[in-house]
Each structure stands twice: as structure tokens, then as C-alpha cells.
Amino acid sequence: MKLTPQQLEQFDREGYLFFPGLFTREETKVLNDAVPELYARREAYNVREKGSDAVRTNFAAHLYSEPFARLARHPRMVQPVVELFGEDVYMHQFKINGKMAFEGDVWQWHQDYGTWLNDDMMPTERAMNVAIFLDDVNEFNGPLMFIPGSHKRGVVDAKHDLSTTSYPLWVVNNELVSKLVERAGGKEGGIVSPQGPAGSMILFHSCLVHASSSNLSPWNRVSVYLSLCAVSNHIRRHKRPEYIAHRDFAPIACLPDDCLLKDYPVDLPWKNGMPASALATSPEPLDQIKEAA
Ligand code: SIN
Ligand code: MN
């Protein structure tokens, strides 16, 4: 899938591109059908909502689930990002966010690159977020919200929030959010929320400020979030476990376009469980560890 000059210009200006219905119902069904069994597992890689059994986010499914391993190599998702960066990419993070009916909690306003810089020592913002809807997303089930153009500000001030939700996040304060929204057009487009059928895809810049509200509707809003990082921009520290911030910097090799509907073989290194090394962490940058060894 090649991006047009208009799409490249729009991405630069707004910080995101929306592709409604990019994957078919048949393709997303293969993925969605695999989710309940993954969410039922009592593993560290399933983070549940505060005070509830509903899964908020599942990490690294592409390492132990065949349908998601195929999605992680899908050319419709990977190729536009390779084109934008002019370089191969590797998988930095892979999440299946639940935002389950009646249970899904908020995601505060934040930028992803702030976390990748502060925690993982990712050198620059050459990493892209991709969201793929596994359920229809509407105004009621907690759609993702963006402040268009906010990526132009680079990394903004953020506070590490360890208590509001079950997942720690570097969050942007309300005063700055208000200013950014005003600058983006206030009530006229200062916040946007792409909505559409299951199978829709969003590409968004790693510095774009985003959030989502809770899901009080009777409809799940399961979405996959993949973070693709330019290979030369790989992280320099393993402060977070490997199931959250990946350590395999090999370029993604794409499968054919029909890979969600055909059984192409894929490697599943964590099929029989996560290795103990995936939980090991270190506050030291990688080059210092190598020098000390
Ligand atoms: C995220 O920002 O990582 C998740 C947001 C959402 O699932 O709504
Ligand atoms: Mn995010």
C-alpha cells in the first residue's frame, strides 16, 4: 500500500492518517475470535482494569498467537510505515486493548514517545503507532481522541501517573491539553476521534497527544496497537520487561497480503510460555552493560 503525496502531507500536518475498513470483516473475525482465550490466561502479559477482571491490555500476543503473529507481519500495516521512515522497522510494542463493554476505563491524555524516551531510551521519535479496530468504534464505546498537530510540539511535559488506572502512564496536564486543543481549533476540530467499522486502521505519530474515555456502552471496543520502530532507532535500555518493550530489533519480514486468511507458517517463540529472561530488567543502558561484561 503506497501513500499518496496528499496522505504524506496530511500526516505531516495532522499527525495521523485514518483508513476506514482497511481489513475485511472476515479478516478481523479471525483476530477477534482469538481474543477471549488470550484474555482468559492468568499471565503477567494480561493487565486487568483496576478492581475488575476485565482485561485492559494484553501484551506481545504476536509471540504466542498465530493470527496475531500474522497481523504483525501484514504488508497493509507495515509497508506504509516503512515508506514513511525510508527504513525497515521492528516491533517495539504489541498490545490488544480491551476497553470492554461497561468496564473499559479511561486512558489519560499522553504521548507514547515520552514513555519510550524516558523508560526505554529510544533515541528519536522515529517510531509509529498503528491502531487496528477489531470491533466497530463509535462515539459511545470510548474511541481514541487526538489533538491534531500536537506532534509538532515534540516531547511535552508529563507526570508519571501510577494510581489513576491500572497501567502506569506519563500523562499531560489539563492546562497544557487545553492550550493544545485551543491551538488546534478549539471546538472546531481541536479534538478529533476517528470512528468506523472493525478492520479500520489508524497510523499516528509517536508524539501525537491522545486519550480515550471510559466505555459505558454495551459494546466492546477491542483494538490492536502496534508500535513500529525504525531499526536504527532501537531502544538502548531494558528497564521494562520484554513483553512490554521488545528486544528483538530484527526487521519485520512481511507475509503476503492474504496472510490473515491462509495458514502461512509463523515463528511463535513464546508459545509454551514466556522465558524468565523476558521478566528480567535493568536500569543500566545497554552499552554500559556490555562494557561491564
Ligand atoms: C493507548 O494510548 O495506548 C491506548 C488508548 C486506548 O486504547 O484507547
Ligand atoms: Mn498511547
Side-chain angles (χ1 to χ4, degrees):
M1 198 173 79
K2 203 162 162 44
L3 298 175
T4 63
Q6 289 86 341
Q7 284 173 319
L8 292 170
E9 191 270 324
Q10 187 183 344
F11 180 79
D12 179 58
R13 192 182 60 243
E14 311 273 352
Y16 73 98
L17 289 172
F18 184 42
F19 303 87
L22 184 73
F23 294 89
T24 64
R25 294 254 168 210
E26 206 189 351
E27 288 174 320
T28 46
K29 185 173 182 322
V30 175
L31 299 166
N32 223 346
D33 285 353
V35 172
E37 187 275 321
L38 298 176
Y39 277 6
R41 298 181 185 187
R42 299 280 150 188
E43 296 281 354
Y45 54 65
N46 274 332
V47 176
R48 290 168 201 279
E49 299 284 8
K50 215 171 175 177
S52 150
D53 209 38
V55 170
R56 175 175 181 77
T57 188
N58 160 284
F59 286 99
H62 65 306
L63 299 181
Y64 48 81
S65 158
E66 282 194 19
F68 288 99
R70 293 195 185 102
L71 179 68
R73 295 162 173 80
H74 204 294
R76 258 176 267 163
M77 186 268 299
V78 176
Q79 275 168 2
V81 183
V82 169
E83 192 195 334
L84 262 159
F85 289 148
E87 186 186 339
D88 279 337
V89 293
Y90 79 94
M91 188 66 67
H92 169 58
Q93 190 170 72
F94 189 108
K95 303 182 290 192
I96 312 172
N97 282 6
K99 185 77 71 155
M100 302 308 273
F102 302 112
E103 308 260 18
D105 204 351
V106 303
W107 287 82
Q108 310 278 5
W109 289 105
H110 68 283
Q111 296 175 306
D112 286 0
Y113 180 61
T115 303
W116 302 340
L117 174 67
N118 288 321
D119 288 349
D120 307 327
M121 289 183 68
M122 185 186 282
T124 76
E125 54 193 57
R126 280 167 61 77
M128 176 76 79
N129 274 320
V130 184
I132 296 172
F133 302 173
L134 299 194
D135 290 306
D136 297 345
V137 173
N138 56 41
E139 68 206 275
F140 307 109
N141 61 357
L144 200 54
M145 300 185 284
F146 297 136
I147 306 177
S150 54
H151 63 301
K152 297 271 187 195
R153 292 286 302 263
V155 179
V156 300
D157 266 357
K159 184 176 119 293
H160 206 196
D161 178 8
L162 296 162
S163 61
T164 315
T165 66
S166 62
Y167 185 67
L169 204 60
W170 289 85
V171 307
V172 180
N173 72 46
N174 294 348
E175 201 186 327
L176 182 52
V177 168
S178 307
K179 277 194 194 137
L180 292 171
V181 170
E182 207 44 49
R183 197 165 305 166
K187 288 183 180 158
E188 308 299 323
I191 300 179
V192 296
S193 76
Q195 294 165 29
S200 301
M201 177 173 92
I202 312 172
L203 300 184
F204 63 104
H205 194 284
S206 57
C207 288
L208 195 68
V209 178
H210 59 284
S212 63
S213 52
S214 63
N215 183 3
L216 291 178
S217 83
W219 306 298
N220 293 340
R221 195 228 63 182
V222 177
S223 301
V224 188
Y225 288 85
L226 312 95
S227 306
L228 303 178
C229 183
V231 168
S232 64
N233 192 42
H234 69 80
I235 60 171
R236 304 307 203 240
R237 176 158 72 177
H238 295 165
K239 190 180 163 193
R240 302 194 294 169
E242 189 177 359
Y243 65 87
I244 298 181
H246 297 304
R247 300 169 187 177
D248 176 358
F249 309 141
I252 297 173
C254 286
L255 290 170
D257 192 75
D258 59 357
C259 63
L260 290 174
L261 302 176
K262 287 196 184 152
D263 285 346
Y264 294 100
V266 277
D267 191 24
L268 295 176
W270 293 3
K271 191 170 182 199
N272 299 318
M274 244 190 325
S277 60
L279 297 169
T281 58
S282 167
E284 301 295 334
L286 292 179
D287 52 356
Q288 285 178 23
I289 295 173
K290 275 194 202 116
E291 273 161 28

